[in-house]
């Protein structure tokens, strides 16, 4: 599977997906830290991909997404945006609504 197919599969397989530097519990940049904290405070589970551990994704995702920076939040297959957009949406309450609507129902 080529890297673009891998990216498409990750986005399709995870209703809430954050491409970030590091992990939510150990972010490797301030932007990734703020974005992941905002997402965690929404109270729903989300997937993440550490782009520092995946250099091919780091190199190819900006072209696929037409978004040059990280972190990148994808919800239900759609690019939401980066840290500034995530924080604006969190402060307005939009992020919580979006995330709760996308989260899979508990079995």
């Amino acid at each position: 599977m080529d890297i673009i197919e891998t990216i498409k599969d990750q986005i399709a397989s995870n209703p809430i997906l954050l491409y970030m530097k590091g992990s939510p519990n150990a972010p490797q940049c301030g932007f990734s830290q703020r974005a992941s904290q905002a997402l965690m405070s929404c109270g729903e589970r989300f997937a993440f991909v550490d782009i520092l551990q995946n250099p091919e994704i780091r190199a190819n995702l900006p072209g696929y997404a037409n978004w040059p920076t990280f972190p990148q939040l994808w919800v239900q297959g759609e690019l939401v945006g980066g840290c500034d957009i995530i924080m604006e949406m969190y402060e307005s309450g939009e992020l919580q609504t979006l995330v709760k609507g996308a989260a899979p129902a508990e079995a």
Side-chain angles (χ1 to χ4, degrees), residues 42-83:
C42 292
E44 299 294 342
R45 291 181 43 200
F46 64 94
F48 73 93
V49 174
D50 179 357
I51 61 160
L52 299 177
Q53 300 294 320
N54 296 277
E56 279 193 274
I57 290 175
R58 185 180 188 179
N60 288 279
L61 184 60
Y64 173 76
N66 199 22
W67 191 269
T69 58
F70 293 98
Q72 288 186 16
L73 175 61
W74 292 76
V75 176
Q76 294 183 316
E78 299 289 323
L79 175 64
V80 174
C83 183

Side-chain angles (χ1 to χ4, degrees), residues 3 6 15 21 42 44 47-49 66 77 86 93-94 100 104:
I3 195 63
T6 299
K21 293 179 180 175
C42 292
E44 299 294 342
F48 73 93
V49 174
N66 199 22
I86 293 166
E94 284 179 80
K100 287 198 185 317

Side-chain angles (χ1 to χ4, degrees), residues 4-65:
I4 297 300
E5 289 303 314
T6 299
I7 290 168
K8 287 179 181 177
D9 184 56
Q10 289 172 338
I11 292 168
S13 301
N14 295 288
I16 306 165
L17 176 61
L18 184 65
Y19 287 96
M20 64 180 292
K21 293 179 180 175
S23 69
N25 294 325
Q28 298 296 309
C29 84
F31 297 110
S32 290
Q33 178 182 17
R34 294 202 337 258
S36 61
Q37 283 181 335
L39 257 183
M40 286 190 288
S41 68
C42 292
E44 299 294 342
R45 291 181 43 200
F46 64 94
F48 73 93
V49 174
D50 179 357
I51 61 160
L52 299 177
Q53 300 294 320
N54 296 277
E56 279 193 274
I57 290 175
R58 185 180 188 179
N60 288 279
L61 184 60
Y64 173 76

